[in-house]
């Protein structure tokens, strides 16, 4: 009996450990660098939008870790949507794209903003016409793609650029080597608290998020500006489920939540404790978790520097 109990608790513990494991990131070595730079040019080219004013980088600037820090980003003609702009950094690792996970990968995602009437409001025909009229693009596409300029290849280059948006941090060094000297003591304490308060149950994997859907408002109902996963599946039980966001570079990617309603790291940690873990986290502990977040700010990738 005792052995069975021991065996059961051990396997449960192992399961929890496996499921919760946080993995380090490294600078990717699987990229075609010429495609990355072509993708970067497309990503920053506002001529891909209907009126020539908005590029992908308008809402996802690279040097501020892929977000514009606005509650609502501005699309063409100053229009705004209803949802906060998430970071493009580490999106290659997310198991689905968007807050509600409606696109399966970066390639499926990239066409969305170009034709979205609030964002870039363009047509695929216009984008092709423009790219085919630009000498730099004509040359680059002819070198890199046997079939030259097509919408698939445009999307491929953009997503190759996005795959380069990985920013290893001191925390990754710590995870890889176990060397505690790369972390401040208070950051290590913050990481322990992060585990103890159950944050790691949802924010785990290679991006400390991005690998599961979870309800916002587990312990206290919360109504944001979107029904989340319900918009995709139409199932009642998916209401208020969102893809858990990454916590990498989290001090840079405010405001927080899909509705951008919380601006300060302190406030979002307090909120998460209350709504997601069902706990009132003491002030000092919130501050330590916030210090832990400093260790998640990574080095900008070469393609951005
Ligand atoms: C007007 C602002 C705006 C523009 C322009 C824009 N985006 Fe976004 N982007 C957003 C918003 C808002 C979301 C979240 C939408 C949602 O979840 O429903 C998003 C989501 C994403 C995501 C998913 C990230 C995640 O965490 O799931 C990626 C990748 C992305 N955009 C790439 C691009 C690319 C590539 C372009 C250019 C072709 C682009 N964006 C143009 C605002 C913008
Ligand atoms: C039950 C799952 C769950 C737990 C536990 C949880 N979170 Fe979250 N967290 C989420 C979800 C889901 C979101 C996104 C909600 C949204 O977009 O509106 C989120 C968002 C966040 C954000 C904002 C990220 C952003 O870019 O908007 C931070 C910071 C955060 N959590 C930190 C924590 C901390 C710290 C803890 C522990 C005290 C914690 N979370 C516990 C599921 C969880």
């Amino acid at each position: 009996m005792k052995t069975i109990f021991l065996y059961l608790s051990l396997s449960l513990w192992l399961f929890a450990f496996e499921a919760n494991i946080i993995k380090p990131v490294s600078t990717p070595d699987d990229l075609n660098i010429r495609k990355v730079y072509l993708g970067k040019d497309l990503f920053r080219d506002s001529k891909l939008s209907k009126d020539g004013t908005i590029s992908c980088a308008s809402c996802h600037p690279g040097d501020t870790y892929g977000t514009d820090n606005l509650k609502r980003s501005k699309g063409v003609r100053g229009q705004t949507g209803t949802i906060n702009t998430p970071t493009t950094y580490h999106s290659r690792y997310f198991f689905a794209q968007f807050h509600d996970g409606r696109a399966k990968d970066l390639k499926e995602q990239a066409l969305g903003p170009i034709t979205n009437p609030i964002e870039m409001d363009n047509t695929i025909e216009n984008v092709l016409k423009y790219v085919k009229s630009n000498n730099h693009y004509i040359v680059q596409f002819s070198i890199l793609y046997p079939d030259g300029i097509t919408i698939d290849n445009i999307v491929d280059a953009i997503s190759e650029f996005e795959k380069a948006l990985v920013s290893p941090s001191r925390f990754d060094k710590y995870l890889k080597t176990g060397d505690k000297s790369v972390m401040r003591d208070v950051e290590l304490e913050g990481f322990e608290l992060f585990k103890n308060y159950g944050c790691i149950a949802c924010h785990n994997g290679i991006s400390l998020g991005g690998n599961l859907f979870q309800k916002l408002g587990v312990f206290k109902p919360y109504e944001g500006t979107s029904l989340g996963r319900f918009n995709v599946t139409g199932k009642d039980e998916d209401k208020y489920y969102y893809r858990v966001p990454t916590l990498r570079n989290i001090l840079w990617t405010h405001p927080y939540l899909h509705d951008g309603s919380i601006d300060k790291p302190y406030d979002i940690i307090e909120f998460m404790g209350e709504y997601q873990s069902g706990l009132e986290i003491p002030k000092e502990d919130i501050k330590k978790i916030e210090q832990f977040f400093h260790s998640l700010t990574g080095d900008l990738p070469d393609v951005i520097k």
Side-chain angles (χ1 to χ4, degrees):
M1 190 61 201
K2 217 173 170 185
T3 0
I4 293 177
F5 179 73
L6 255 177
Y7 173 77
L8 273 178
S9 56
L10 184 68
S11 50
L12 263 179
W13 184 83
L14 277 177
F15 171 76
F17 183 74
E18 278 302 316
N20 291 344
I21 205 155
I22 293 182
K23 297 190 187 93
V25 293
S26 308
T27 299
D29 56 7
D30 60 344
L31 300 171
N32 178 324
I33 294 301
R34 279 190 91 130
K35 281 189 188 172
V36 168
Y37 278 87
L38 171 59
K40 178 186 182 181
D41 292 338
L42 291 160
F43 195 87
R44 305 217 293 195
D45 192 339
S46 51
K47 294 214 176 74
L48 297 190
S49 70
K50 183 173 187 180
D51 61 5
T53 61
I54 301 288
S55 72
C56 310
S58 311
C59 301
H60 302 285
D63 52 0
T64 52
Y65 296 95
T67 58
D68 55 11
N69 303 122
L70 297 171
K71 187 170 180 182
R72 297 283 175 270
S73 299
K74 285 196 171 56
V76 290
R77 301 180 297 276
Q79 298 179 101
T80 53
T82 55
I83 212 155
N84 183 250
T85 301
T87 180
T88 37
Y89 274 64
H90 307 105
S91 53
R92 64 175 298 170
Y93 302 123
F94 302 163
F95 81 133
Q97 304 295 318
F98 292 123
H99 292 284
D100 58 14
R102 68 185 177 281
K104 76 171 192 304
D105 56 26
L106 289 172
K107 283 196 186 176
E108 192 176 307
Q109 190 282 332
L111 274 186
I114 295 178
T115 53
N116 183 313
I118 294 177
E119 296 183 339
M120 297 164 84
D121 194 24
N122 214 342
T123 60
I124 295 190
E125 297 74 56
N126 273 340
V127 168
L128 280 172
K129 208 164 117 194
Y130 161 64
V131 176
K132 284 180 178 170
S133 74
N134 177 301
N135 275 333
H136 166 64
Y137 291 141
I138 295 171
V139 172
Q140 291 302 317
F141 275 95
S142 74
I143 295 171
L144 291 167
Y145 296 94
D147 51 348
I149 297 169
T150 67
I151 200 68
D152 273 358
N153 294 345
I154 291 175
V155 163
D156 182 72
I158 291 178
S159 63
E160 194 76 359
F161 164 67
E162 291 176 309
K163 284 193 210 155
L165 301 176
V166 174
S167 61
S169 69
R170 284 185 292 119
F171 182 61
D172 294 300
K173 246 184 217 157
Y174 167 64
L175 288 179
K176 278 185 209 163
T177 63
D179 178 3
K180 289 190 175 159
S181 71
V182 297
M183 301 277 284
R184 289 179 294 135
D185 287 347
V186 64
E187 292 170 347
L188 287 169
E189 283 176 55
F191 181 41
E192 283 310 306
L193 294 168
F194 183 80
K195 292 187 266 186
N196 295 343
Y197 285 122
C199 315
I200 197 173
C202 298
H203 298 276
N204 56 48
I206 197 162
S207 303
L208 292 92
N211 55 356
L212 54 145
F213 294 117
Q214 276 294 332
K215 186 173 181 174
L216 178 62
V218 178
F219 287 91
K220 211 171 165 179
Y222 181 86
E223 268 183 50
T225 53
S226 146
L227 292 174
R229 199 64 199 139
F230 173 81
N231 293 338
V232 182
T233 66
K235 289 186 190 154
D236 266 350
E237 66 261 32
D238 287 336
K239 271 188 188 157
Y240 310 114
Y241 272 71
Y242 304 87
R243 191 203 56 212
V244 177
T246 177
L247 299 186
R248 291 187 172 279
N249 306 312
I250 189 68
L251 297 180
W252 284 82
T253 59
H254 56 90
Y256 304 118
L257 299 182
H258 71 277
D259 60 7
S261 59
I262 296 186
D263 206 44
K264 298 263 180 302
Y266 183 98
D267 297 341
I268 183 73
I269 298 166
E270 184 178 43
F271 174 97
M272 280 285 133
E274 198 177 334
Y275 285 79
Q276 300 302 94
S277 297
L279 297 162
E280 207 178 297
I281 305 180
K283 252 189 188 153
E284 311 76 66
D285 288 0
I286 295 182
K287 286 186 183 154
K288 284 178 184 165
I289 296 176
E290 184 175 349
Q291 288 303 316
F292 162 57
F293 285 175
H294 280 274
S295 72
L296 301 177
T297 301
D299 302 325
L300 290 174
D302 285 343
V303 64
I304 296 299
K305 279 180 199 154

